[in-house]
Amino acid sequence: MSLTRWADREQAVRAGFTAAPVATMAVAARVYVAVTGAARPGAAPLTVVYGWLFGFWIALPLVSCSSTAGATLAMLGSRVLFRAAAERRFAGR
């Protein structure tokens, strides 16, 4: 990937944010919730990217709410998916 390609993508995202800020932030929040909800690495770099693209004061509540929602989904998912296995493993304790 070349630097000019990344620069073109940045300009497209910034233009989209200027044209439809609420829709762009909604998509960004959904991506963040998906990354944190799936318990995959990538939330920290995504936080930096959102701060860079949207600015600190816009990214702060966006990342805070999205990370909380994603962590809640991850906890609920693991509780539902792995409950039986955990009960079997720790039945004697």
Side-chain angles (χ1 to χ4, degrees), residues 9-75:
R9 285 186 181 188
E10 177 198 2
Q11 293 300 324
V13 171
R14 288 190 189 272
F17 179 65
T18 303
V22 175
T24 306
M25 288 187 293
V27 169
R30 287 181 183 171
V31 168
Y32 204 94
V33 168
V35 168
T36 56
R40 293 285 181 225
L46 204 54
T47 303
V48 173
V49 169
Y50 285 0
W52 176 57
L53 285 174
F54 301 130
F56 178 78
W57 293 110
I58 293 173
L60 180 69
L62 179 101
V63 166
S64 180
C65 293
S66 298
S67 64
T68 301
T72 302
L73 287 176
M75 184 274 305

